[in-house]
Amino acid sequence: RCGWCECSFADAGSKGVGPEGPKTLCHGCSLRFRAGFSSAPIRNEEGKYVCDNCQRAYDSTHALSGHRRFCDGGDWRCGWCECTAAETSGKGPGPAGPRTLCTTCANRHRAGHSGLPPQNEDGQYVCDLCGRAFETIGAVHGHSRSCDG
């Protein structure tokens, strides 16, 4: 069994190095140890493993490890439209680097745009070609694929 999370090595898939020497931790706990942690992840009252950043709970350390690769603690915002990670289907590259724009804004960036579409006085996004107004950036993006101007 793993010295930290108590899982069986058969469930973990492999053994890793820990504070007590080689092959004393499961792979997930060994990664935590090598990243500077000194103990297993925190468990809640239901026995689930809790993320240090966002407090989401997982059934196994392996699920928690997979989540932690992408967890931003809920602080991420798109560099252009300011939407949160929960409000977008994904993150994409922008002028400030990888994973700095939401999917919609990243698509605009790849198409050569340098920011959000213009907005009218009502806060709606306006098509660059025909001037039609839309509630969301995604809607103006979908429209622009078939707009003739």
Side-chain angles (χ1 to χ4, degrees), residues 44 47-51 54 56-61 63-64 67:
N44 64 14
K48 294 187 176 192
Y49 297 97
V50 179
C51 175
C54 69
R56 287 186 63 184
Y58 295 89
D59 292 326
S60 68
T61 58
L64 175 63
H67 161 78

Side-chain angles (χ1 to χ4, degrees), residues 67 69-79 83-94 97-107 110:
H67 161 78
R69 289 181 51 212
F70 301 102
C71 181
D72 60 13
D75 295 334
W76 184 89
R77 292 219 176 255
C78 173
C83 72
T84 64
E87 296 169 328
T88 183
S89 61
K91 302 172 189 172
R99 299 170 49 93
T100 57
L101 298 179
C102 68
T103 303
T104 303
C105 290
N107 288 337
R110 275 192 291 278

Side-chain angles (χ1 to χ4, degrees), residues 12-91:
S14 65
K15 301 174 185 178
V17 67
E20 305 298 319
K23 298 184 179 181
T24 57
L25 298 179
C26 68
H27 180 70
C29 288
S30 178
L31 292 176
R32 279 183 63 84
F33 173 69
R34 285 186 271 154
F37 291 93
S38 59
S39 65
I42 300 166
R43 286 188 181 205
N44 64 14
E45 54 280 346
E46 298 165 2
K48 294 187 176 192
Y49 297 97
V50 179
C51 175
D52 300 331
N53 292 332
C54 69
Q55 307 309 310
R56 287 186 63 184
Y58 295 89
D59 292 326
S60 68
T61 58
H62 311 295
L64 175 63
S65 296
H67 161 78
R68 284 186 46 96
R69 289 181 51 212
F70 301 102
C71 181
D72 60 13
D75 295 334
W76 184 89
R77 292 219 176 255
C78 173
W80 284 1
C81 71
E82 297 290 316
C83 72
T84 64
E87 296 169 328
T88 183
S89 61
K91 302 172 189 172

Side-chain angles (χ1 to χ4, degrees), residues 119-126 133-135:
Q119 290 179 286
N120 64 17
E121 60 279 348
D122 296 328
Q124 293 183 315
Y125 297 99
V126 180
F134 297 88
E135 292 290 324

